[in-house]
Amino acid sequence: MDKEYVVIGLGRFGGSIVRELNALDMDVMAIDSDENRVNEYSDIATHAVVADTTDEAVMKSLGIRNFDHVIVAIGENIQASTLTTLILKELGVKKVTAKAQNDYHAKILNKIGADTVVHPERDMGRRIAHNVASGTVLDYLELSDEHSIIEMRVMEKLAGRSLVELDIRANYGINIIAIKRGKEIIVAPDPDMVLEFDDILIMIGHDNDLTRYEKKMAH
Ligand code: ATP
């Protein structure tokens, strides 16, 4: 049987999750306390329900614990977001992903048992900052507080040189895990591989090392 999802809070973030899950043919229940928002999703979600998710009795009556994964996309109202998350975990929902508004909010969500905490605005802000600052960083994915994966375009400076020659691992402690060349992806590239202009390096490392390398590439 397909997995069943619930999205609570139909702002831009929650709404876009409902749309994408629907496009992927997944069953999704969309919940919001605002009737107008719920009406917008009545044709997109499998079920669209008006409910205040801080009311435990209402959550029980919706059979929320039978769903595989609940996404709490309430951001602005931190009290509603944390109380909703708490109720979901108390009712035994296995997987809860919650959106945090700021670092304090994230801390609380983690403490009360959210399985995954996401910071879409902060993360997108960071990605864009890296992208505009270096001009060569195409994408940036945070793995933990200290480690990330970045995608970096090979410019003139690196083209024609081999991985051994650059020795990014010894010089920066960064590992190149794959190289994208056109449509091809070369996983665990050979150290003798010579880089071409417009190749994309997929690199993993400590944030401090990645930043050091990005700065070097920007000059
Ligand atoms: P976004 O940044 O994703 O556009 P937003 O700014 O529109 O979100 P948020 O405050 O993050 O709004 O809340 C998202 C939705 O959560 C709103 O539509 C709001 O009605 C809903 N919401 C807030 N509290 C509750 C609650 N207790 N129960 C159900 N839905 C709620």
Side-chain angles (χ1 to χ4, degrees), residues 9-13 32-33 37 51-54 73-76 80 99:
L10 303 173
R12 283 158 301 178
F13 178 67
D32 201 294
S33 50
R37 291 240 159 129
D52 178 355
T53 55
T54 59
I74 304 170
E76 213 60 47
K99 169 185 156 170

Side-chain angles (χ1 to χ4, degrees), residues 27-184:
D27 282 330
V28 53
M29 184 198 270
I31 306 178
D32 201 294
S33 50
D34 178 339
E35 190 175 350
N36 292 328
R37 291 240 159 129
V38 172
N39 287 339
E40 271 179 55
Y41 288 88
S42 57
D43 292 335
I44 302 163
T46 319
H47 301 285
V49 180
V50 182
D52 178 355
T53 55
T54 59
D55 184 335
E56 190 169 346
V58 170
M59 297 282 256
K60 274 189 183 152
S61 71
L62 288 172
I64 210 97
R65 55 175 305 206
N66 300 319
F67 287 83
D68 299 290
H69 195 156
V70 180
I71 295 140
V72 182
I74 304 170
E76 213 60 47
N77 185 342
I78 292 180
Q79 193 171 322
S81 151
T82 48
L83 189 51
T84 298
T85 304
L86 186 65
I87 292 172
L88 291 169
K89 288 315 289 183
E90 278 184 355
L91 289 176
V93 175
K94 284 209 187 63
K95 209 155 181 336
V96 176
T97 295
K99 169 185 156 170
Q101 188 74 9
N102 54 49
D103 288 344
Y104 297 112
H105 188 191
K107 226 176 204 169
I108 299 168
L109 290 169
N110 278 314
K111 248 312 182 257
I112 59 183
D115 301 279
T116 309
V117 176
V118 292
H119 300 64
E121 284 95 356
R122 187 197 68 182
D123 292 349
M124 190 47 85
R126 284 186 180 173
R127 285 162 96 158
I128 291 174
H130 281 267
N131 184 278
V132 297
S134 75
T136 55
V137 175
L138 304 173
D139 210 346
Y140 174 93
L141 174 73
E142 197 175 70
L143 296 177
S144 71
D145 285 347
E146 295 187 338
H147 292 86
S148 303
I149 289 179
I150 65 171
E151 283 192 1
M152 188 178 260
R153 191 185 293 284
V154 170
M155 308 303 274
E156 289 87 354
K157 216 185 264 188
L158 298 187
R161 302 176 67 183
S162 72
L163 295 178
V164 151
E165 224 179 296
L166 295 172
D167 212 0
I168 296 171
R169 188 184 298 159
N171 293 329
Y172 293 89
I174 296 171
N175 274 297
I176 296 174
I177 50 181
I179 295 176
K180 279 195 211 170
R181 178 168 290 171
K183 287 197 170 123
E184 198 186 355

